[in-house]
Amino acid sequence: MTDPSLTLPRPLLRRRPSRPLLALLAAIIAVLAVTAAPTARADALGISPPGANDWDCVPSAEHPEPVVLVNGTFETMAKNWWTLAPVLADAGYCVYAFDYGVTHVVPATGPVRDSATELGTFVDRVLGATGAQEVDLVGHSQGGMMPRWYIGFQGGAAKVDDLVGIAPSSHGTQGLIVRDDDGEGSALAHADQGIAYRTCAACIDQQAGSGFMQELASIPDTVPGVDYTVISTEHDEIVTPYTSQALEGPEDQVTNLVLQDLCPRDPFAHDQSPNDPVVHQIVLDALDQDGPASKDVSPTC
């Protein structure tokens, strides 16, 4: 039997928390997530996803370009590519992945320019091991945007055949890492005076309108010789608006797809989009042909 003295008044139970309180709670959660996670992430760093990083793999005539997977902010290669890597390997691709941008043992949080340099070093290692002339890049979130810096500013265009972005932060985000118009903002915005924000240079770089994004926008979205596929979801709550993920370029070089246009009931949001079987089918379509994914691709929903 419940002690009446411990029962909250019904009006209080029905009262919704104020926005400042919700924002404060979100900020606390964001800081705890980044400060409490390093041990777990440190344990996971360097672990390859299934099917990836077989350095004896020889690309076939059917799939001559090895595939390099590029994870998103705060993610390890193991977590981000646990389901897609084996799908690609089973399809006959040589698949590779790596952890990058590690600051305070948290992956993919370093300055995006520096992470692009790390990508270039890894691509050279893959090309050297496989004897291939080019690689295909498949990236999620930051991992779908950061390669464009490598391609556009660091000579990557000569070494990349395809770039497939899954929910990429192509032009930055107006979402969780920036302030709302009313100044209250959300979790990472409120944590900008705390550990979570100050240790995540990649978060700052990915703000829409940041200095990094302005410099990236100084060159075209695409460069000749590279094919681009963008896969977005209407349910994206991280890179917003989701329409900002699309790239501009020649129709025969760029395909922008929205999951719900293909499968209206597709429930996948930002974080788990690399695990969506529909996404897997689109990635394979993009990699299996000369050019980006088919604009009329018809995945099984």
Side-chain angles (χ1 to χ4, degrees), residues 172-225:
T173 177
Q174 299 177 19
L176 293 181
I177 59 175
V178 296
R179 293 190 179 280
D180 293 335
D181 291 337
D182 62 8
E184 290 188 357
S186 52
L188 288 180
H190 277 288
D192 61 359
Q193 300 302 315
I195 296 173
Y197 198 79
R198 288 188 289 109
T199 60
C200 182
C203 297
I204 298 171
D205 284 346
Q206 289 177 93
Q207 291 183 20
S210 70
F212 171 83
M213 281 296 166
Q214 291 180 50
E215 193 168 353
L216 184 59
S218 70
I219 61 173
D221 282 358
T222 63
V223 302

Side-chain angles (χ1 to χ4, degrees), residues 205-249:
D205 284 346
Q206 289 177 93
Q207 291 183 20
S210 70
F212 171 83
M213 281 296 166
Q214 291 180 50
E215 193 168 353
L216 184 59
S218 70
I219 61 173
D221 282 358
T222 63
V223 302
V226 180
D227 295 314
Y228 300 80
T229 299
V230 174
I231 307 168
S232 303
T233 171
E234 290 181 356
H235 304 311
D236 201 311
E237 77 289 13
I238 302 297
V239 179
T240 61
Y242 75 89
T243 52
S244 69
Q245 300 171 19
L247 298 176
E248 294 185 5

Side-chain angles (χ1 to χ4, degrees), residues 44-284:
L45 287 171
I47 298 176
S48 300
N53 295 335
D54 175 3
W55 294 98
D56 294 323
C57 186
V58 178
S60 65
E62 184 180 5
H63 302 307
E65 288 90 21
V67 179
V68 175
L69 303 174
V70 191
N71 49 270
T73 310
F74 302 130
E75 299 286 5
T76 62
M77 59 174 165
K79 178 181 180 297
N80 219 149
W81 305 117
W82 195 260
T83 60
L84 181 56
V87 167
L88 296 175
D90 289 346
Y93 288 93
C94 293
V95 182
Y96 299 89
F98 70 118
D99 292 317
Y100 68 88
V102 179
T103 56
H104 303 281
V105 298
V106 182
T109 53
V112 176
R113 295 174 183 84
D114 296 346
S115 294
T117 300
E118 293 184 52
L119 171 61
T121 300
F122 189 78
V123 166
D124 287 344
R125 181 186 176 193
V126 170
L127 293 177
T130 61
Q133 299 298 309
E134 295 179 308
V135 300
D136 292 331
L137 301 178
V138 178
H140 174 232
S141 195
Q142 179 189 168
M145 172 277 296
M146 175 265 280
R148 289 179 45 231
W149 184 275
Y150 164 63
I151 291 169
F153 290 99
Q154 298 179 337
K159 302 175 182 180
V160 176
D161 183 42
D162 275 274
L163 171 59
V164 181
I166 303 170
S169 52
S170 302
H171 304 103
T173 177
Q174 299 177 19
L176 293 181
I177 59 175
V178 296
R179 293 190 179 280
D180 293 335
D181 291 337
D182 62 8
E184 290 188 357
S186 52
L188 288 180
H190 277 288
D192 61 359
Q193 300 302 315
I195 296 173
Y197 198 79
R198 288 188 289 109
T199 60
C200 182
C203 297
I204 298 171
D205 284 346
Q206 289 177 93
Q207 291 183 20
S210 70
F212 171 83
M213 281 296 166
Q214 291 180 50
E215 193 168 353
L216 184 59
S218 70
I219 61 173
D221 282 358
T222 63
V223 302
V226 180
D227 295 314
Y228 300 80
T229 299
V230 174
I231 307 168
S232 303
T233 171
E234 290 181 356
H235 304 311
D236 201 311
E237 77 289 13
I238 302 297
V239 179
T240 61
Y242 75 89
T243 52
S244 69
Q245 300 171 19
L247 298 176
E248 294 185 5
E251 287 193 5
D252 61 350
Q253 189 183 5
V254 181
T255 296
N256 296 299
L257 298 171
V258 179
L259 290 175
Q260 287 71 30
D261 290 342
L262 305 171
C263 298
R265 295 184 179 180
D266 192 305
F268 279 79
H270 183 88
D271 183 65
Q272 293 300 316
S273 54
N275 298 319
D276 186 348
V278 175
V279 170
H280 296 175
Q281 295 172 67
I282 299 171
V283 171
L284 286 170

